[in-house]
């Protein structure tokens, strides 16, 4: 997709607004000198003079640049580089006076904000984004109801976060590898995962990619570069850094993208992964869905910083705060971040502010810890779907008729997919023991034999819908 | 998994099942022939054991003033087996950590996807010098120095493995990998299964563990007992330069995640290993000393204590069979079973704690599968359930000593 800017300001200004405030630390290529792949001349020099490896290369740059040492601006040498010193005892405040502003392009009513900068989206892409958001919404509603009716054991909706899911996916390429938390099925949907495949996983039948081993919403598809959801919080962040490192080694035009929530940012893995990504200079996008709640824990009980965006600087990572319910803003931010990540080989942190309209999952009733009015307000007044719909309708790309056609078609498809998935056979017993290793070892074969033996002796205790 | 186990699967499964009756004669005959075939390979290690082993100049050992038991144990028993042919006269001598490095380097040469990550593995060459010189040869990206967060770099290795690389993750000390338990258990062990086989995780997690020389409680841990329950991983322990190199190579080539346990005190063992390329089977145990009276099962450093005890036992008229089980998960019940059927007495010598260690699982497995063949209860010598003390004398007494092994054998063989 061509990068075309709709704005009255020049392209260079656009980048300046988003670009990290360069403090003269030099370009990426110079600071990554010691991390380049095998280059005989570079490495020979490095290995012959190991002492230089211990110094920050930035120190060398500064000393070569600032030879005009001012008597007043005295600097001290420490491991890590030169630091100016001050006789005043001054603590850095725990928070800035103003919170970091949030990037947004469409206002609450779906009107374009004047002088906004964003990456232009074609009609095809915009309409697909909106349709997929509608599909996701309908899929969520139907699966949620199915769980309430007892047809599904469990489900977790993405209501309120459709724009984050779909718009971010739209801005990526199919080769970008995704490491999701569990509230990002929209990314799979955008890439072509069918409603039937979603239903198959939720019912754990034999057509499921995961062979019925995981609970619902733990999707995975190596074909679509979407890594199987692992329920543990934030463990996917270091995995994503590793994948990014692998892509960088192979010099691929792709990055790793990982999603997590405000709650996930408290885990140790979050901090370690961000630190690692910065040090390894790995092309990875960290997209935080700050939806205000971690089950019943509001963000005020989760952290005391100004959200997630300020944490990026602590690790040396470029960051941005985006209105997560604004599809155009999400698209632009992710698109720009992706280019930066790949061409400059750096991680980017994107904090998408949003609201979790649904309950945490079907095991939760969120009205117990927040007011129904609050939920209702976000669902109506700040709905990501209606804002994008207004915009595409204003361009003449959508109509009421297409809306009702889409909704009735998707609903029918969804119900059919549910019906088929429910009726499909479950995977057979052998799948309980396969894929633990590449080939089942002796002890597992023995254990399978024992299970089958027990079933033969007590067939009435064995579930009738799992084939042997 | 190993072809040997698969091929023997039908026979072995029948033999090991408690439900079927077994034609034990037939099986023992089968085992004898396969034993001698396999033992030829292992005799290389066996015969060399007697000749060139020494601890070299380990700085840890140099600190102690009193004479050490360990060098004696190491300069110990020549394997008294029938076939004493060494397959190749040429070979080269090296220390165990160099053997690990050689294996790693050969695999990195062979496959550009193999990479190393860990703390201080790059230009520093690793805390125990296993990755020495690799960063110079392969570059900083393939031999990656990471910040200090075991969970993060293990997670990183897993993510890289899922996208096609074959990382070798080094824990500076196995005890530090407790911090990586979440990634190892939930992601490393499980993701192949929960993804329905879509993603493989061919990582190798390695590092030194075990009780060293006054390294303190936190640095003397036996992680194999904590990790053994995790489904989806394989665990192997190396004990000689020969099997260290062989297991390292096999682990890297395996599609399953493998945890390779090295021992802090064995890094300076010297042995002559073949020049030609070889790998060791990950699921096989190693016959160190065939015998008739009792089966001694052991692994890692305790192998040397067992062999020293064997010397004493031979002088007293016993004929112990010493097997280095090598494969901690899964156990090589085929080799072990054949040995039990022959000797009818089992002594397990391990460094793990008494509660929940490898010995505990092995005792259960043997009792379950070979109950009929035992003339005496399975005895297991382990470390006590205490954190390893710093005081040298106390530390020595938390580890099973050859004298205890001799006493146990005498007791079992009454």
């Amino acid at each position: 997709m061509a990068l075309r800017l709709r704005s009255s300001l020049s392209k260079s200004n656009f980048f300046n607004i988003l670009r990290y405030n360069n403090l003269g630390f030099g370009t990426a290529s110079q600071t990554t000198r010691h991390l380049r792949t095998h280059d005989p001349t570079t490495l020979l020099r490095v290995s012959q003079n190991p002492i230089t490896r211990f110094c920050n290369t930035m120190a060398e740059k500064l000393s070569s640049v600032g030879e005009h040492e001012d008597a007043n601006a005295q600097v001290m040498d420490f491991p890590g580089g030169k630091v100016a010193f001050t006789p005043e005892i001054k603590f850095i405040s725990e928070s800035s006076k103003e919170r970091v502003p949030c990037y947004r392009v469409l206002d609450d009513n779906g009107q374009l904000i004047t002088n906004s900068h964003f990456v232009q989206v074609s009609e095809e892409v915009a309409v697909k984004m909106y349709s997929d958001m509608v599909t996701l919404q309908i899929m969520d509603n139907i699966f949620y109801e199915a769980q309430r009716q007892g047809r599904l054991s469990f489900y977790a909706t993405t209501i309120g976060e459709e724009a984050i899911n779909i718009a971010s996916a739209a801005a990526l390429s199919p080769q970008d590898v995704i490491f999701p938390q569990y509230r990002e099925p929209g990314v799979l949907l955008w890439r072509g995962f069918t409603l039937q495949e979603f239903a198959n996983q939720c019912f754990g039948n034999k057509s499921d990619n995961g062979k019925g081993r995981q609970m619902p919403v733990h999707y995975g598809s190596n074909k679509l570069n979407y890594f199987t959801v692992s329920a543990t919080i934030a463990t996917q962040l270091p995995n994503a850094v590793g994948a990014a490192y692998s892509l960088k080694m192979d010099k691929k035009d792709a990055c790793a993208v990982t999603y997590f929530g405000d709650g996930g940012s408290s885990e140790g893995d979050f901090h370690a992964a961000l630190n690692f990504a910065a040090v390894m200079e790995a092309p990875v996008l960290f997209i935080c869905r700050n939806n205000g709640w971690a089950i019943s824990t509001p963000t005020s009980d989760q952290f005391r910083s100004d959200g997630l965006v300020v944490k990026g600087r602590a690790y040396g990572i470029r960051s941005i705060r985006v209105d997560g319910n604004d599809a155009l803003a999400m698209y632009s931010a992710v698109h720009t971040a992706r280019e930066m990540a790949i061409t400059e080989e750096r991680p980017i942190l994107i904090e998408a502010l949003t609201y979790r309209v649904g309950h945490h999952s079907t095991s939760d009733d969120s009205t117990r810890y927040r007011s129904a009015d609050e939920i209702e307000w976000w669902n109506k007044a700040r709905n990501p779907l209606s804002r994008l719909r207004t915009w595409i309708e204003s361009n003449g790309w959508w109509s009421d008729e297409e809306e009702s056609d889409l909704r009735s078609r998707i609903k029918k498809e969804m119900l059919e997919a549910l019906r088929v998935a429910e009726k499909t056979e479950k995977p057979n017993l052998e799948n309980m023991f396969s894929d633990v290793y590449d080939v089942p070892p002796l002890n597992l074969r023995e254990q399978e034999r024992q299970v089958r033996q027990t079933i033969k002796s007590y067939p009435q205790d064995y579930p009738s819908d799992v084939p042997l | 998994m190993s072809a040997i186990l698969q091929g023997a699967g039908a026979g072995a499964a029948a033999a090991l099942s408690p439900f079927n009756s077994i034609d034990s004669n037939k099986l023992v005959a089968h085992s004898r022939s396969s034993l001698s075939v396999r033992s030829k390979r292992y005799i290389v290690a066996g015969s060399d054991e007697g000749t060139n082993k020494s601890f070299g100049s380990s700085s840890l050992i140099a600190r102690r003033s009193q004479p050490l038991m360990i060098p004696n144990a190491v300069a110990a028993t020549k394997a008294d087996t029938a076939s004493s042919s060494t397959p190749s006269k040429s070979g080269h001598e090296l220390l165990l950590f160099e053997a690990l490095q050689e294996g790693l380097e050969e695999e990195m040469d062979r496959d550009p996807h193999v990479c190393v990550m860990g703390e201080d593995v790059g230009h520093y060459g690793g805390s125990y010098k296993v990755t020495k010189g690799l960063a110079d040869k392969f570059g900083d990206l393939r031999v990656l120095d990471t910040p200090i967060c075991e969970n993060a770099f293990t997670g990183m290795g897993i993510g890289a493995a899922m996208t096609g690389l074959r990382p070798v993750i080094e824990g500076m000390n196995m005890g530090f990998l407790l911090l990586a338990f979440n990634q190892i258990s939930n992601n490393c062990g499980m993701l192949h299964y929960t993804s329905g086989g879509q993603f493989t995780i061919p990582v190798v997690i390695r590092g030194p563990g075990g009780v060293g020389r006054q390294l303190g409680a936190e640095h003397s841990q036996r992680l194999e007992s904590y990790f053994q329950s995790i489904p989806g991983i394989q665990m192997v322990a190396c004990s000689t330069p020969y099997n260290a190199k062989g297991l390292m190579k096999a682990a890297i080539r395996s599609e399953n995640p493998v945890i390779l346990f090295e021992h802090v005190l064995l890094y300076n063992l010297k042995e002559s290993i073949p020049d030609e390329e070889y790998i060791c089977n990950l699921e096989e145990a190693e016959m160190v000393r065939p015998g008739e009276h009792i089966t001694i099962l052991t692994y890692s450093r305790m192998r040397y204590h067992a062999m020293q005890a064997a010397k004493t036992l031979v002088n007293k008229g016993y004929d112990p069979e010493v097997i280095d089980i090598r494969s901690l998960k899964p156990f090589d019940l085929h080799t072990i079973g054949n040995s039990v059927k022959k000797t009818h007495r089992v002594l397990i010598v391990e460094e793990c704690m008494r509660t929940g260690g490898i010995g505990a699982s092995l005792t259960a497995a043997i009792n379950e599968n070979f109950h009929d063949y035992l003339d005496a209860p399975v005895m297991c010598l382990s470390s006590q359930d205490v954190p390893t003390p710093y005081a040298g004398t106390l530390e020595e007494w938390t580890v099973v000593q050859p004298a205890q092994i001799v006493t146990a054998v005498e007791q079992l063989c009454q």
Side-chain angles (χ1 to χ4, degrees):
Chain A
M1 292 163 221
L3 170 65
R4 258 178 30 231
L5 294 181
R6 262 191 68 150
S7 112
S8 52
L9 301 180
S10 68
K11 182 169 175 175
S12 59
N13 282 355
F14 170 68
F15 276 111
N16 283 338
I17 288 162
L18 289 185
R19 190 179 286 282
Y20 171 76
N21 189 8
N22 196 316
L23 294 177
F25 278 172
T27 61
S29 57
Q30 281 157 307
T31 53
T32 57
R33 179 182 64 195
H34 61 290
L35 275 188
R36 279 204 206 117
T37 44
H38 180 51
D39 169 3
T41 53
T42 316
L43 288 170
L44 214 52
R45 185 178 51 192
V46 165
S47 65
Q48 277 172 356
N49 188 4
I51 305 299
T52 58
R53 295 288 315 278
F54 293 108
C55 303
N56 189 341
T57 48
M58 293 185 194
E60 293 168 43
K61 258 218 70 77
L62 284 180
S63 60
S64 65
V65 160
E67 288 306 342
H68 54 283
E69 281 211 16
D70 206 284
N72 291 334
Q74 288 176 40
V75 287
M76 293 163 70
D77 239 314
F78 275 112
K82 290 179 158 51
V83 192
F85 67 81
T86 164
E88 281 180 39
I89 178 166
K90 219 163 62 133
F91 288 83
I92 302 174
S93 167
E94 72 275 11
S95 61
S96 2
K97 287 200 189 59
E98 310 252 320
R99 292 191 63 179
V100 171
C102 179
Y103 170 58
R104 156 195 265 218
V105 168
L106 294 174
D107 67 15
D108 282 343
N109 300 320
Q111 309 289 336
L112 260 185
I113 298 173
T114 44
N115 292 338
S116 56
H117 311 146
F118 64 99
V119 175
Q120 175 63 307
V121 182
S122 69
E123 174 180 351
E124 193 189 326
V125 171
V127 167
K128 182 174 192 304
M129 280 209 295
Y130 181 70
S131 316
D132 278 359
M133 280 163 70
V134 170
T135 308
L136 180 55
Q137 190 185 62
I138 295 175
M139 180 176 92
D140 270 351
N141 283 323
I142 291 182
F143 273 144
Y144 186 87
E145 287 308 312
Q147 195 278 344
R148 284 289 179 250
Q149 290 165 13
R151 294 164 77 185
L152 265 188
S153 59
F154 173 85
Y155 193 71
T157 62
T158 312
I159 311 273
E161 301 180 43
E162 295 90 346
I164 296 181
N165 271 231
I166 303 293
S168 63
L172 300 170
S173 86
Q175 287 76 38
D176 296 326
V177 289
I178 309 286
F179 285 84
Q181 180 70 77
Y182 47 66
R183 227 181 274 286
E184 302 89 15
V187 181
L188 259 183
L189 184 64
W190 174 272
R191 288 186 169 190
F193 211 60
T194 62
L195 297 180
Q196 189 64 64
E197 287 176 290
F198 281 112
N200 288 338
Q201 197 283 331
C202 287
F203 280 92
N205 62 36
K206 71 168 197 255
S207 308
D208 168 29
N209 282 350
K211 297 182 189 165
R213 292 174 181 141
Q214 262 288 16
M215 41 196 295
V217 305
H218 289 59
Y219 312 109
S221 164
N222 60 350
K223 198 166 59 113
L224 300 177
N225 280 325
Y226 186 97
F227 284 76
T228 304
V229 173
S230 176
T232 46
I233 300 291
T235 55
Q236 73 277 9
L237 297 185
N239 293 161
V241 177
Y245 161 76
S246 168
L247 292 172
K248 175 172 148 163
M249 277 244 280
D250 291 341
K251 295 191 174 58
K252 293 229 175 89
D253 177 22
C255 63
V257 183
T258 180
Y259 298 82
F260 56 100
D262 41 289
S265 74
S266 296
E267 278 283 354
D269 276 353
F270 163 79
H271 302 273
L274 257 65
N275 189 38
F276 270 59
V279 171
M280 308 290 147
E281 287 159 11
V284 51
L285 303 191
F286 293 103
I287 300 181
C288 176
R289 297 175 290 97
N290 184 346
N291 61 19
W293 295 93
I295 308 190
S296 70
T297 307
T299 49
S300 56
D301 286 345
Q302 195 68 247
F303 42 69
R304 286 299 160 87
S305 56
D306 173 18
L308 268 296
V309 67
V310 294
K311 293 185 166 147
R313 175 164 272 194
Y315 299 107
I317 293 182
R318 205 170 282 183
S319 351
I320 186 171
R321 167 172 277 167
V322 188
D323 178 353
N325 289 356
D326 178 344
L328 289 187
M330 273 306 298
Y331 181 91
S332 298
V334 173
H335 183 103
T336 315
R338 178 184 179 275
E339 273 191 29
M340 271 198 270
I342 297 175
T343 53
E344 296 177 46
E345 281 181 348
R346 59 167 66 247
I348 310 277
L349 171 65
I350 298 173
E351 179 186 14
L353 297 181
T354 180
Y355 189 83
R356 190 195 78 209
V357 171
H359 306 301
H360 168 70
S361 70
T362 48
S363 313
D364 172 49
D365 172 16
S366 58
T367 54
R368 281 186 296 156
Y369 49 80
R370 54 185 189 175
S371 74
D373 290 339
E374 180 186 305
I375 305 171
E376 199 43 40
W377 183 75
W378 276 92
N379 198 18
K380 287 281 168 328
R382 302 285 215 99
N383 190 305
L385 274 78
S386 48
R387 284 162 76 185
L388 183 61
R389 180 178 172 181
T390 309
W391 185 72
I392 55 175
E393 277 179 346
S394 73
N395 288 342
W397 297 340
W398 196 250
S399 65
D400 283 344
E401 200 186 310
E402 285 165 296
E403 175 86 14
S404 54
D405 278 348
L406 175 70
R407 284 189 180 264
S408 62
R409 179 169 61 84
I410 296 294
K411 184 162 174 199
K412 218 171 14 181
E413 263 181 53
M414 196 63 241
L415 290 172
E416 177 64 14
L418 251 185
R419 197 186 60 80
V420 170
E422 205 165 16
K423 275 189 13 223
T424 307
E425 228 179 28
K426 304 290 183 219
N428 63 32
L429 182 63
E430 181 221 9
N431 286 298
M432 185 167 134
F433 296 93
S434 61
D435 292 330
V436 180
Y437 297 97
D438 52 356
V439 171
L442 200 61
N443 61 328
L444 285 187
R445 293 208 304 273
E446 173 64 24
Q447 288 166 15
E448 184 179 345
R449 242 186 26 83
Q450 285 177 355
V451 170
R452 287 184 189 276
Q453 194 101 20
T454 313
I455 293 168
K456 228 187 273 184
S457 314
Y458 303 99
Q460 70 278 12
D461 290 342
Y462 186 72
S464 54
D465 59 346
V466 182
L468 284 171
Chain B
M1 289 288 214
S2 97
I4 292 179
L5 275 181
Q6 288 245 18
L16 299 176
S17 148
F19 299 112
N20 304 338
S21 64
I22 298 122
D23 182 356
S24 54
N25 286 337
K26 179 172 160 214
L27 204 59
V28 169
H30 163 78
S31 76
R32 269 201 203 286
S33 59
S34 65
L35 199 63
S36 59
V37 165
R38 284 212 301 277
S39 63
K40 261 208 184 63
R41 177 147 55 106
Y42 297 125
I43 279 165
V44 177
S47 60
D48 283 336
E49 251 186 300
T51 52
N52 293 318
K53 290 272 170 56
S54 73
F55 265 108
S57 56
S58 159
S59 59
L60 287 171
I61 294 177
R63 273 187 4 232
R64 295 198 42 169
S65 49
Q66 56 200 116
L68 298 163
M69 292 174 81
I70 308 306
N72 295 335
V74 168
T77 326
K78 219 178 188 48
D80 51 343
T81 51
S83 160
S84 57
S85 59
T86 27
S88 70
K89 287 299 172 198
S90 72
H92 54 287
E93 216 175 62
L94 42 50
L95 306 180
L96 196 145
F97 78 87
E98 290 168 342
L100 287 166
Q101 188 210 23
E102 205 174 85
L104 187 48
E105 195 174 333
E106 280 175 18
E107 289 305 299
M108 287 180 82
D109 273 329
R110 177 180 173 270
D111 182 352
H113 294 107
V114 180
C115 57
V116 182
M117 46 184 81
E119 294 154 15
D120 299 312
V121 296
H123 58 94
Y124 187 70
S127 299
Y128 292 92
K129 301 294 171 239
V130 173
T131 53
K132 188 162 140 187
L134 296 182
D136 287 343
K137 181 171 174 189
F138 296 106
D140 286 336
L141 219 46
R142 274 184 84 186
V143 185
L144 191 64
D145 272 334
T146 64
I148 304 178
C149 186
E150 282 72 13
N151 208 29
F153 65 71
T154 307
M156 224 181 108
I158 293 165
M162 288 164 91
T163 31
L165 291 185
R166 303 186 82 93
V168 176
I169 300 166
E170 170 171 317
M172 192 183 281
N173 185 286
M174 270 293 171
F176 305 166
L177 291 185
L178 283 171
L179 288 156
F181 212 120
N182 189 9
Q183 288 285 352
I184 294 175
S185 157
N186 278 319
N187 289 347
C188 186
M190 290 191 194
L191 269 167
H192 182 64
Y193 183 80
T194 58
S195 69
Q198 293 183 86
F199 302 106
T200 57
I201 308 177
V203 297
V204 176
I205 298 173
R206 50 158 292 270
V211 177
R213 288 263 172 269
Q214 296 191 270
L215 295 178
E218 298 91 342
H219 293 77
S220 312
Q221 305 206 58
R222 279 75 85 189
L223 267 282
E224 57 269 23
S225 59
Y226 303 152
F227 285 151
Q228 62 177 323
S229 276
I230 301 174
I233 55 158
Q234 272 185 262
M235 305 199 308
V236 289
C238 64
S239 49
T240 66
Y242 179 85
N243 63 33
K245 178 175 173 185
L247 289 174
M248 169 75 92
K249 288 169 74 91
I252 292 174
R253 293 186 196 189
S254 166
E255 290 303 312
N256 297 316
V258 179
I259 305 187
L260 170 58
F261 290 90
E262 302 150 14
H263 197 286
V264 273
L265 293 183
L266 297 184
Y267 277 131
N268 287 327
L269 279 182
K270 198 189 286 192
E271 187 185 6
S272 184
I273 65 172
D275 287 332
E276 55 268 11
E277 195 181 23
Y278 68 93
I279 61 173
C280 289
N281 193 315
L282 284 177
E283 296 97 21
E284 257 179 25
E286 188 178 317
M287 176 65 67
V288 185
R289 182 193 186 283
E292 296 289 327
H293 290 165
I294 181 171
T295 299
I296 301 180
L297 300 173
T298 179
Y299 67 95
S300 193
R301 181 181 168 221
M302 289 298 108
R303 164 196 179 127
Y304 298 97
H305 282 203
M307 288 308 288
Q308 185 177 11
K311 228 170 77 150
T312 314
L313 287 167
V314 163
N315 291 339
K316 291 193 175 191
Y318 294 95
D319 185 22
E321 176 156 297
V322 180
I323 294 178
D324 181 342
I325 61 174
R326 257 180 23 190
S327 173
L328 305 180
K329 183 181 167 92
F331 294 131
D332 179 5
L333 287 177
H334 184 79
T335 309
I336 294 171
N338 289 336
S339 178
V340 174
K341 285 173 186 138
K342 184 171 61 164
T343 66
H344 311 297
R345 288 178 167 80
V346 180
L347 173 66
I348 299 171
V349 180
E350 59 160 357
E351 216 176 292
C352 283
M353 315 283 191
R354 154 73 70 212
T355 305
I358 296 289
S361 303
L362 192 51
T363 306
I366 293 173
N367 277 327
E368 218 169 72
N369 288 302
F370 309 118
H371 178 80
D372 282 339
Y373 294 91
L374 292 169
D375 284 348
V378 175
M379 196 187 278
C380 181
L381 297 178
S382 346
S383 298
Q384 305 85 348
D385 289 321
V386 297
T388 310
Y390 175 75
T393 40
L394 289 182
E395 181 188 70
E396 204 174 294
W397 281 104
T398 63
V399 173
V400 176
Q401 298 298 335
Q404 290 168 264
I405 302 174
V406 171
T407 313
V409 170
E410 286 174 337
Q411 220 177 324
L412 274 176
C413 286
Q414 265 162 8

